[in-house]
Amino acid sequence: MAVFVAFFAFIIGVSFPFIDKLPQAFISIMVGAAAIITGMAAKPFIENFLSGIAITASRMLNIGDTIKLNDYYGTIEDISATHTVIKLWDWRRYVIPNSSMINQEFINYNLHDKWLWAHVEFYVAYGSDMQLVKEIAEDTAKRSEHCLDFEDPAFWIMETNESSITCWIAAWASSPAEAWELKAEIRTALILDLHKAGINTHVNYYSMNKKDLDLPLE
């Protein structure tokens, strides 16, 4: 398309000195072709411009929102007339045309709620003192500076597997970035606190004898 436009512009430039000598029909054709080519060349800009207006007017995306788009996770840094710029978690910039952005499916973590409910899944072995596990998990979340204190952290037993008990500890964070930090701190502290309390994360069948597993002796 760009080559064709350049070629057409060259023809017009060469013909311009002789414009008064050219037939009227030829001039009309040239003007009509120029209008069509100009419209085709401007189509991407017009589509992106109108899409940018639609994105801004719909308020589905706002500068500062944290979103997940395809495999990309980041923050909306700019919505220009033609492109949307997403600052990724590793500080790279993902630039996407507005006409493509408006047709994408994405998750907006800030669309209605400013706070984010963050949870960490972990495992403990059967025979563990679950009340102690609950207290450790809740205290671990509360100690984090990234945890909002308007509501206490919540602890649940989510599943009982063959070799372990699946648990969740969840708490509120003020933003997706804070939620990421909160979960990272909880995981680190849980490993240390559970180990210090002598709570195993799973049953080690190879290090336990039949008596420990409460199996009938031979």
Side-chain angles (χ1 to χ4, degrees):
M1 180 63 185
V3 175
F4 183 74
V5 172
F7 176 76
F8 189 77
F10 173 77
I11 295 297
I12 292 178
V14 172
S15 304
F16 190 78
F18 311 101
I19 195 72
D20 57 336
K21 299 179 181 180
L22 295 174
Q24 188 66 33
F26 180 77
I27 295 176
S28 298
I29 292 173
M30 293 284 287
V31 171
I36 293 173
I37 291 174
T38 302
M40 294 175 64
K43 182 180 178 182
F45 175 82
I46 295 172
E47 287 181 347
N48 288 319
F49 180 75
L50 294 178
S51 297
I53 294 175
I55 290 172
T56 303
S58 67
R59 298 186 179 277
M60 292 294 102
L61 283 175
N62 301 284
I63 294 176
D65 286 356
T66 299
I67 70 167
K68 183 176 182 181
L69 175 66
N70 298 326
D71 294 327
Y72 295 101
Y73 178 87
T75 303
I76 299 295
E77 188 174 58
D78 186 32
I79 303 175
S80 68
T82 57
H83 294 78
T84 296
V85 181
I86 303 172
K87 184 174 74 173
L88 304 182
W89 66 273
D90 58 0
W91 291 78
R92 291 179 300 159
R93 266 58 175 183
Y94 180 41
V95 182
I96 180 170
N98 289 332
S99 58
S100 298
M101 187 70 198
I102 202 170
N103 292 314
Q104 294 280 346
E105 295 182 357
F106 57 85
I107 298 174
N108 188 337
Y109 293 97
N110 300 106
L111 185 57
H112 296 297
D113 299 316
K114 293 183 179 180
W115 296 340
L116 194 64
W117 188 237
H119 78 273
V120 169
E121 183 175 276
F122 65 100
Y123 307 89
V124 296
Y126 284 98
S128 301
D129 184 342
M130 296 309 298
Q131 181 59 36
L132 178 59
V133 171
K134 178 177 184 293
E135 292 173 0
I136 290 175
E138 291 176 346
D139 181 65
T140 298
K142 288 180 182 179
R143 292 202 315 265
S144 173
E145 62 180 358
H146 305 286
C147 176
L148 294 177
D149 59 3
F150 81 98
E151 186 177 75
D152 289 336
F155 171 84
W156 297 286
I157 295 177
M158 301 301 295
E159 191 175 351
T160 52
N161 301 312
E162 180 182 359
S163 60
S164 63
I165 301 171
T166 305
C167 304
W168 275 21
I169 182 65
W172 288 101
S174 60
S175 69
E178 288 291 298
W180 191 92
E181 294 284 356
L182 173 61
K183 291 190 287 186
E185 281 195 2
I186 289 176
R187 292 188 190 101
T188 303
L190 268 178
I191 292 173
L192 298 175
D193 292 346
L194 292 176
H195 177 74
K196 184 177 180 180
I199 298 173
N200 296 319
T201 57
H202 63 282
V203 174
N204 188 337
Y205 288 101
Y206 296 99
S207 64
M208 298 180 67
N209 56 40
K210 292 183 178 181
K211 183 178 180 181
D212 295 325
L213 294 174
D214 197 23
L215 295 176
L217 299 176
E218 293 180 356

mmCIF file of all heavy atoms in Angstrom, residues 9-43:
data_model
loop_
_atom_site.group_PDB
_atom_site.id
_atom_site.type_symbol
_atom_site.label_atom_id
_atom_site.label_comp_id
_atom_site.label_asym_id
_atom_site.label_seq_id
_atom_site.Cartn_x
_atom_site.Cartn_y
_atom_site.Cartn_z
ATOM 1 N N ALA A 9 1.840 9.379 -5.864
ATOM 2 C CA ALA A 9 2.302 10.733 -5.562
ATOM 3 C C ALA A 9 3.359 11.180 -6.568
ATOM 4 O O ALA A 9 3.391 12.350 -6.975
ATOM 5 C CB ALA A 9 2.868 10.788 -4.145
ATOM 6 N N PHE A 10 4.192 10.246 -7.014
ATOM 7 C CA PHE A 10 5.201 10.554 -8.019
ATOM 8 C C PHE A 10 4.555 10.934 -9.345
ATOM 9 O O PHE A 10 4.971 11.900 -10.005
ATOM 10 C CB PHE A 10 6.137 9.348 -8.200
ATOM 11 C CG PHE A 10 7.113 9.505 -9.325
ATOM 12 C CD1 PHE A 10 8.244 10.311 -9.175
ATOM 13 C CD2 PHE A 10 6.906 8.857 -10.545
ATOM 14 C CE1 PHE A 10 9.143 10.459 -10.221
ATOM 15 C CE2 PHE A 10 7.808 9.005 -11.587
ATOM 16 C CZ PHE A 10 8.927 9.810 -11.427
ATOM 17 N N ILE A 11 3.525 10.202 -9.731
ATOM 18 C CA ILE A 11 2.811 10.494 -10.981
ATOM 19 C C ILE A 11 2.187 11.879 -10.928
ATOM 20 O O ILE A 11 2.262 12.660 -11.888
ATOM 21 C CB ILE A 11 1.738 9.425 -11.252
ATOM 22 C CG1 ILE A 11 2.401 8.061 -11.495
ATOM 23 C CG2 ILE A 11 0.876 9.825 -12.437
ATOM 24 C CD1 ILE A 11 3.295 8.006 -12.715
ATOM 25 N N ILE A 12 1.577 12.198 -9.794
ATOM 26 C CA ILE A 12 0.952 13.518 -9.656
ATOM 27 C C ILE A 12 2.013 14.614 -9.719
ATOM 28 O O ILE A 12 1.819 15.657 -10.365
ATOM 29 C CB ILE A 12 0.174 13.606 -8.327
ATOM 30 C CG1 ILE A 12 -1.037 12.670 -8.370
ATOM 31 C CG2 ILE A 12 -0.288 15.040 -8.062
ATOM 32 C CD1 ILE A 12 -1.837 12.650 -7.091
ATOM 33 N N GLY A 13 3.142 14.387 -9.075
ATOM 34 C CA GLY A 13 4.212 15.385 -9.078
ATOM 35 C C GLY A 13 4.753 15.630 -10.474
ATOM 36 O O GLY A 13 5.031 16.774 -10.860
ATOM 37 N N VAL A 14 4.929 14.556 -11.234
ATOM 38 C CA VAL A 14 5.435 14.688 -12.603
ATOM 39 C C VAL A 14 4.417 15.383 -13.494
ATOM 40 O O VAL A 14 4.761 16.198 -14.374
ATOM 41 C CB VAL A 14 5.803 13.302 -13.165
ATOM 42 C CG1 VAL A 14 6.142 13.394 -14.643
ATOM 43 C CG2 VAL A 14 6.974 12.718 -12.388
ATOM 44 N N SER A 15 3.121 15.107 -13.264
ATOM 45 C CA SER A 15 2.068 15.644 -14.126
ATOM 46 C C SER A 15 1.676 17.066 -13.765
ATOM 47 O O SER A 15 1.038 17.751 -14.566
ATOM 48 C CB SER A 15 0.827 14.742 -14.036
ATOM 49 O OG SER A 15 1.126 13.415 -14.358
ATOM 50 N N PHE A 16 2.043 17.527 -12.576
ATOM 51 C CA PHE A 16 1.555 18.832 -12.102
ATOM 52 C C PHE A 16 1.944 20.000 -13.024
ATOM 53 O O PHE A 16 1.117 20.878 -13.277
ATOM 54 C CB PHE A 16 2.061 19.084 -10.681
ATOM 55 C CG PHE A 16 1.422 20.278 -10.031
ATOM 56 C CD1 PHE A 16 0.138 20.201 -9.514
ATOM 57 C CD2 PHE A 16 2.103 21.494 -9.973
ATOM 58 C CE1 PHE A 16 -0.458 21.311 -8.918
ATOM 59 C CE2 PHE A 16 1.505 22.604 -9.390
ATOM 60 C CZ PHE A 16 0.220 22.519 -8.862
ATOM 61 N N PRO A 17 3.195 20.051 -13.550
ATOM 62 C CA PRO A 17 3.536 21.190 -14.439
ATOM 63 C C PRO A 17 2.690 21.240 -15.711
ATOM 64 O O PRO A 17 2.577 22.292 -16.339
ATOM 65 C CB PRO A 17 5.012 20.938 -14.763
ATOM 66 C CG PRO A 17 5.517 20.094 -13.637
ATOM 67 C CD PRO A 17 4.359 19.210 -13.273
ATOM 68 N N PHE A 18 2.115 20.083 -16.060
ATOM 69 C CA PHE A 18 1.340 20.038 -17.302
ATOM 70 C C PHE A 18 -0.160 19.933 -17.028
ATOM 71 O O PHE A 18 -0.931 19.494 -17.873
ATOM 72 C CB PHE A 18 1.778 18.809 -18.134
ATOM 73 C CG PHE A 18 3.265 18.701 -18.288
ATOM 74 C CD1 PHE A 18 3.999 17.814 -17.506
ATOM 75 C CD2 PHE A 18 3.952 19.498 -19.199
ATOM 76 C CE1 PHE A 18 5.378 17.718 -17.637
ATOM 77 C CE2 PHE A 18 5.329 19.396 -19.341
ATOM 78 C CZ PHE A 18 6.050 18.513 -18.569
ATOM 79 N N ILE A 19 -0.582 20.348 -15.805
ATOM 80 C CA ILE A 19 -1.957 20.161 -15.387
ATOM 81 C C ILE A 19 -2.947 20.889 -16.293
ATOM 82 O O ILE A 19 -4.057 20.419 -16.540
ATOM 83 C CB ILE A 19 -2.128 20.611 -13.908
ATOM 84 C CG1 ILE A 19 -3.456 20.093 -13.340
ATOM 85 C CG2 ILE A 19 -2.038 22.120 -13.795
ATOM 86 C CD1 ILE A 19 -3.466 18.638 -13.099
ATOM 87 N N ASP A 20 -2.508 22.070 -16.839
ATOM 88 C CA ASP A 20 -3.424 22.842 -17.685
ATOM 89 C C ASP A 20 -3.576 22.254 -19.070
ATOM 90 O O ASP A 20 -4.476 22.627 -19.821
ATOM 91 C CB ASP A 20 -2.940 24.286 -17.770
ATOM 92 C CG ASP A 20 -1.526 24.385 -18.295
ATOM 93 O OD1 ASP A 20 -0.776 23.385 -18.166
ATOM 94 O OD2 ASP A 20 -1.171 25.453 -18.827
ATOM 95 N N LYS A 21 -2.691 21.327 -19.423
ATOM 96 C CA LYS A 21 -2.747 20.719 -20.751
ATOM 97 C C LYS A 21 -3.421 19.345 -20.735
ATOM 98 O O LYS A 21 -3.646 18.750 -21.788
ATOM 99 C CB LYS A 21 -1.331 20.575 -21.321
ATOM 100 C CG LYS A 21 -0.615 21.922 -21.484
ATOM 101 C CD LYS A 21 0.782 21.721 -22.022
ATOM 102 C CE LYS A 21 1.511 23.070 -22.157
ATOM 103 N NZ LYS A 21 2.889 22.891 -22.675
ATOM 104 N N LEU A 22 -3.720 18.834 -19.545
ATOM 105 C CA LEU A 22 -4.324 17.506 -19.438
ATOM 106 C C LEU A 22 -5.825 17.586 -19.648
ATOM 107 O O LEU A 22 -6.459 18.604 -19.311
ATOM 108 C CB LEU A 22 -4.030 16.900 -18.067
ATOM 109 C CG LEU A 22 -2.554 16.602 -17.764
ATOM 110 C CD1 LEU A 22 -2.401 16.137 -16.324
ATOM 111 C CD2 LEU A 22 -2.007 15.552 -18.728
ATOM 112 N N PRO A 23 -6.428 16.519 -20.183
ATOM 113 C CA PRO A 23 -7.888 16.496 -20.370
ATOM 114 C C PRO A 23 -8.599 16.591 -19.026
ATOM 115 O O PRO A 23 -8.113 16.104 -18.014
ATOM 116 C CB PRO A 23 -8.142 15.145 -21.040
ATOM 117 C CG PRO A 23 -6.833 14.746 -21.627
ATOM 118 C CD PRO A 23 -5.784 15.330 -20.725
ATOM 119 N N GLN A 24 -9.795 17.213 -19.061
ATOM 120 C CA GLN A 24 -10.571 17.392 -17.832
ATOM 121 C C GLN A 24 -10.947 16.055 -17.221
ATOM 122 O O GLN A 24 -10.961 15.889 -15.996
ATOM 123 C CB GLN A 24 -11.829 18.215 -18.136
ATOM 124 C CG GLN A 24 -12.608 18.637 -16.909
ATOM 125 C CD GLN A 24 -11.828 19.629 -16.047
ATOM 126 O OE1 GLN A 24 -11.076 20.432 -16.588
ATOM 127 N NE2 GLN A 24 -11.993 19.560 -14.747
ATOM 128 N N ALA A 25 -11.267 15.076 -18.055
ATOM 129 C CA ALA A 25 -11.655 13.750 -17.560
ATOM 130 C C ALA A 25 -10.495 13.098 -16.809
ATOM 131 O O ALA A 25 -10.670 12.482 -15.759
ATOM 132 C CB ALA A 25 -12.098 12.852 -18.710
ATOM 133 N N PHE A 26 -9.289 13.269 -17.336
ATOM 134 C CA PHE A 26 -8.116 12.676 -16.685
ATOM 135 C C PHE A 26 -7.862 13.327 -15.325
ATOM 136 O O PHE A 26 -7.525 12.654 -14.353
ATOM 137 C CB PHE A 26 -6.894 12.841 -17.591
ATOM 138 C CG PHE A 26 -5.631 12.258 -17.015
ATOM 139 C CD1 PHE A 26 -5.413 10.886 -17.038
ATOM 140 C CD2 PHE A 26 -4.671 13.079 -16.427
ATOM 141 C CE1 PHE A 26 -4.257 10.342 -16.511
ATOM 142 C CE2 PHE A 26 -3.521 12.543 -15.892
ATOM 143 C CZ PHE A 26 -3.308 11.174 -15.927
ATOM 144 N N ILE A 27 -8.052 14.655 -15.279
ATOM 145 C CA ILE A 27 -7.870 15.366 -14.020
ATOM 146 C C ILE A 27 -8.892 14.894 -12.979
ATOM 147 O O ILE A 27 -8.569 14.687 -11.807
ATOM 148 C CB ILE A 27 -7.992 16.884 -14.241
ATOM 149 C CG1 ILE A 27 -6.843 17.372 -15.130
ATOM 150 C CG2 ILE A 27 -7.978 17.630 -12.906
ATOM 151 C CD1 ILE A 27 -6.930 18.845 -15.491
ATOM 152 N N SER A 28 -10.143 14.699 -13.433
ATOM 153 C CA SER A 28 -11.194 14.230 -12.516
ATOM 154 C C SER A 28 -10.852 12.854 -11.970
ATOM 155 O O SER A 28 -11.055 12.560 -10.788
ATOM 156 C CB SER A 28 -12.538 14.196 -13.246
ATOM 157 O OG SER A 28 -12.911 15.481 -13.677
ATOM 158 N N ILE A 29 -10.337 11.994 -12.853
ATOM 159 C CA ILE A 29 -9.957 10.645 -12.413
ATOM 160 C C ILE A 29 -8.823 10.722 -11.392
ATOM 161 O O ILE A 29 -8.827 10.029 -10.369
ATOM 162 C CB ILE A 29 -9.542 9.786 -13.626
ATOM 163 C CG1 ILE A 29 -10.755 9.512 -14.522
ATOM 164 C CG2 ILE A 29 -8.908 8.472 -13.164
ATOM 165 C CD1 ILE A 29 -10.407 8.817 -15.816
ATOM 166 N N MET A 30 -7.851 11.593 -11.669
ATOM 167 C CA MET A 30 -6.727 11.750 -10.757
ATOM 168 C C MET A 30 -7.194 12.249 -9.382
ATOM 169 O O MET A 30 -6.750 11.758 -8.334
ATOM 170 C CB MET A 30 -5.722 12.732 -11.347
ATOM 171 C CG MET A 30 -5.025 12.234 -12.599
ATOM 172 S SD MET A 30 -3.741 11.006 -12.236
ATOM 173 C CE MET A 30 -2.492 12.055 -11.534
ATOM 174 N N VAL A 31 -8.095 13.226 -9.381
ATOM 175 C CA VAL A 31 -8.605 13.771 -8.128
ATOM 176 C C VAL A 31 -9.380 12.709 -7.363
ATOM 177 O O VAL A 31 -9.239 12.545 -6.138
ATOM 178 C CB VAL A 31 -9.486 15.008 -8.390
ATOM 179 C CG1 VAL A 31 -10.192 15.444 -7.109
ATOM 180 C CG2 VAL A 31 -8.657 16.142 -8.938
ATOM 181 N N GLY A 32 -10.235 11.946 -8.077
ATOM 182 C CA GLY A 32 -11.002 10.881 -7.427
ATOM 183 C C GLY A 32 -10.106 9.801 -6.856
ATOM 184 O O GLY A 32 -10.310 9.336 -5.717
ATOM 185 N N ALA A 33 -9.084 9.413 -7.625
ATOM 186 C CA ALA A 33 -8.149 8.387 -7.148
ATOM 187 C C ALA A 33 -7.375 8.887 -5.942
ATOM 188 O O ALA A 33 -7.129 8.145 -4.986
ATOM 189 C CB ALA A 33 -7.203 7.997 -8.268
ATOM 190 N N ALA A 34 -7.003 10.170 -5.969
ATOM 191 C CA ALA A 34 -6.277 10.738 -4.830
ATOM 192 C C ALA A 34 -7.128 10.714 -3.574
ATOM 193 O O ALA A 34 -6.641 10.429 -2.472
ATOM 194 C CB ALA A 34 -5.847 12.165 -5.155
ATOM 195 N N ALA A 35 -8.418 11.026 -3.740
ATOM 196 C CA ALA A 35 -9.318 11.015 -2.583
ATOM 197 C C ALA A 35 -9.458 9.614 -2.010
ATOM 198 O O ALA A 35 -9.451 9.414 -0.790
ATOM 199 C CB ALA A 35 -10.682 11.563 -2.986
ATOM 200 N N ILE A 36 -9.577 8.621 -2.904
ATOM 201 C CA ILE A 36 -9.723 7.235 -2.443
ATOM 202 C C ILE A 36 -8.463 6.767 -1.722
ATOM 203 O O ILE A 36 -8.523 6.170 -0.641
ATOM 204 C CB ILE A 36 -10.039 6.313 -3.641
ATOM 205 C CG1 ILE A 36 -11.419 6.637 -4.203
ATOM 206 C CG2 ILE A 36 -9.958 4.846 -3.214
ATOM 207 C CD1 ILE A 36 -11.743 5.886 -5.488
ATOM 208 N N ILE A 37 -7.319 7.050 -2.311
ATOM 209 C CA ILE A 37 -6.057 6.613 -1.718
ATOM 210 C C ILE A 37 -5.815 7.305 -0.380
ATOM 211 O O ILE A 37 -5.369 6.694 0.594
ATOM 212 C CB ILE A 37 -4.892 6.885 -2.686
ATOM 213 C CG1 ILE A 37 -5.014 5.954 -3.895
ATOM 214 C CG2 ILE A 37 -3.546 6.692 -2.004
ATOM 215 C CD1 ILE A 37 -4.002 6.226 -4.974
ATOM 216 N N THR A 38 -6.141 8.600 -0.331
ATOM 217 C CA THR A 38 -5.993 9.323 0.936
ATOM 218 C C THR A 38 -6.874 8.729 2.017
ATOM 219 O O THR A 38 -6.462 8.572 3.175
ATOM 220 C CB THR A 38 -6.331 10.807 0.736
ATOM 221 O OG1 THR A 38 -5.473 11.361 -0.260
ATOM 222 C CG2 THR A 38 -6.166 11.579 2.048
ATOM 223 N N GLY A 39 -8.115 8.374 1.626
ATOM 224 C CA GLY A 39 -9.026 7.761 2.599
ATOM 225 C C GLY A 39 -8.520 6.422 3.088
ATOM 226 O O GLY A 39 -8.597 6.110 4.285
ATOM 227 N N MET A 40 -7.971 5.617 2.156
ATOM 228 C CA MET A 40 -7.429 4.311 2.544
ATOM 229 C C MET A 40 -6.214 4.459 3.449
ATOM 230 O O MET A 40 -6.050 3.720 4.420
ATOM 231 C CB MET A 40 -7.069 3.505 1.296
ATOM 232 C CG MET A 40 -8.274 3.108 0.436
ATOM 233 S SD MET A 40 -7.780 2.279 -1.094
ATOM 234 C CE MET A 40 -7.007 0.798 -0.439
ATOM 235 N N ALA A 41 -5.379 5.432 3.139
ATOM 236 C CA ALA A 41 -4.181 5.644 3.956
ATOM 237 C C ALA A 41 -4.533 6.160 5.341
ATOM 238 O O ALA A 41 -3.851 5.858 6.329
ATOM 239 C CB ALA A 41 -3.248 6.626 3.248
ATOM 240 N N ALA A 42 -5.610 6.949 5.418
ATOM 241 C CA ALA A 42 -6.001 7.530 6.707
ATOM 242 C C ALA A 42 -6.875 6.596 7.530
ATOM 243 O O ALA A 42 -7.121 6.871 8.714
ATOM 244 C CB ALA A 42 -6.747 8.842 6.472
ATOM 245 N N LYS A 43 -7.331 5.484 6.944
ATOM 246 C CA LYS A 43 -8.261 4.590 7.632
ATOM 247 C C LYS A 43 -7.713 4.070 8.962
ATOM 248 O O LYS A 43 -8.413 4.111 9.977
ATOM 249 C CB LYS A 43 -8.635 3.421 6.724
ATOM 250 C CG LYS A 43 -9.643 2.471 7.354
ATOM 251 C CD LYS A 43 -9.975 1.321 6.414
ATOM 252 C CE LYS A 43 -10.946 0.342 7.075
ATOM 253 N NZ LYS A 43 -11.235 -0.804 6.192
#
